Amino acid sequence: AQSVTQLDSQVPVFEEAPVELRCNYSSSVSVYLFWYVQYPNQGLQLLLKYLSGSTLVESINGFEAEFNKSQTSFHLRKPSVHISDTAEYFCAVSGAGGTSYGKLTFGQGTILTVHP
Amino acid sequence: GAGVSQSPSNKVTEKGKDVELRCDPISGHTALYWYRQSLGQGLEFLIYFQGNSAPDKSGLPSDRFSAERTGGSVSTLTIQRTQQEDSAVYLCASSFRQTYEQYFGPGTRLTVT
């Protein structure tokens, strides 16, 4: 079984400032890691994923996350945020083995609010 | 192409009634998942389908919940004798394979009065 902890429920930040949303996980098996974003009144969208290979993964809109196996973390970062990044962000994990069926275990979410 | 669609988008029902929620996955996606998003519990896994079979029903909260999938496509989640604690947004997701990225539908908001 897996579990995910998002350490901050809310993160307020000013526009153009850097931000880090923290995510830690626990699992007895190898994992795949994901960040999903939910904009106000919209559905969940995949932001980025780690399946294998390079531990640093990037999204098309400037976010990046680094898989740190020793610290069991997958923190999300952006060097300069925009108003449009205001949303709720969910970290999720699935077991990499076939018996996990790919089901996602989500963290509680972090609400990122970008102020002008 | 078309994404995952769900219907209805909103459903208000009286306690004790049965409800059916529908999910149309992305064409060609063999894996289908149901999740529930509620204020108290966050996002929870309910059930997984591979084709028409459900090898993982571990997240269904009670025997009032059931789901089926037909033709390897459309899935229906049925809640019998609804209770107020069933109020939540029910999300459906599909993926090409079970370990690949999941695409989510817009959800069905269920309110039990």
Side-chain angles (χ1 to χ4, degrees):
Chain A
Q2 293 87 36
S3 67
V4 179
T5 302
Q6 291 183 243
L7 297 161
D8 305 295
S9 59
Q10 296 190 55
V11 174
V13 64
F14 287 108
E15 193 173 19
E16 297 183 3
V19 70
E20 179 179 77
L21 307 184
R22 296 178 292 170
C23 172
N24 287 93
Y25 70 92
S26 67
S27 177
S28 57
V29 299
S30 297
V31 296
Y32 296 144
L33 293 156
F34 307 84
W35 276 98
Y36 280 83
V37 59
Q38 189 170 33
Y39 297 104
N41 301 312
Q42 294 188 29
L44 279 168
Q45 302 174 31
L46 180 67
L47 185 61
L48 47 74
K49 63 182 184 290
Y50 170 78
L51 301 181
S52 65
S54 173
T55 57
L56 183 65
V57 291
E58 298 177 351
S59 72
I60 58 173
N61 58 353
F63 283 93
E64 65 179 28
E66 186 162 18
F67 170 52
N68 188 317
K69 187 175 182 179
S70 63
Q71 297 187 6
T72 61
S73 67
F74 191 55
H75 301 330
L76 182 69
R77 296 186 291 262
K78 189 171 186 180
S80 176
V81 294
H82 302 287
I83 297 287
S84 59
D85 293 324
T86 293
E88 188 161 16
Y89 292 79
F90 294 91
C91 182
V93 62
S94 71
T99 56
S100 73
Y101 302 116
K103 68 182 181 184
L104 295 170
T105 299
F106 287 89
Q108 290 297 310
T110 297
I111 298 173
L112 173 65
T113 305
V114 182
H115 299 284
Chain B
V4 178
S5 62
Q6 294 185 245
S7 61
S9 55
N10 280 285
K11 177 72 176 179
V12 180
T13 189
E14 293 180 351
K15 177 181 173 181
K17 300 284 189 182
D18 298 351
V19 295
E20 286 189 352
L21 313 179
R22 176 187 168 105
C23 171
D24 278 282
I26 292 172
S27 178
H29 280 192
T30 59
L32 186 147
Y33 305 80
W34 283 96
Y35 295 88
R36 179 168 73 173
Q37 185 174 24
S38 59
L39 281 176
Q41 301 297 322
L43 274 155
E44 307 170 276
F45 166 81
L46 297 178
I47 188 170
Y48 157 74
F49 285 92
Q50 178 60 41
N52 291 334
S53 65
D56 191 349
K57 304 179 183 179
S58 62
L60 294 178
S62 77
D63 59 8
R64 296 185 295 104
F65 287 72
S66 63
E68 66 175 10
R69 189 179 183 193
T70 56
S73 181
V74 172
S75 176
T76 303
L77 178 69
T78 301
I79 309 173
Q80 295 180 311
R81 305 181 303 281
T82 52
Q83 304 295 312
Q84 287 188 331
E85 61 262 28
D86 300 334
S87 295
V89 177
Y90 289 82
L91 297 170
C92 175
S94 70
S95 66
F96 180 58
R97 295 177 186 172
Q98 66 185 36
T99 54
Y100 280 54
E101 58 194 77
Q102 296 176 28
Y103 294 84
F104 282 79
T108 293
R109 181 175 297 277
L110 175 66
T111 303
V112 182
T113 62

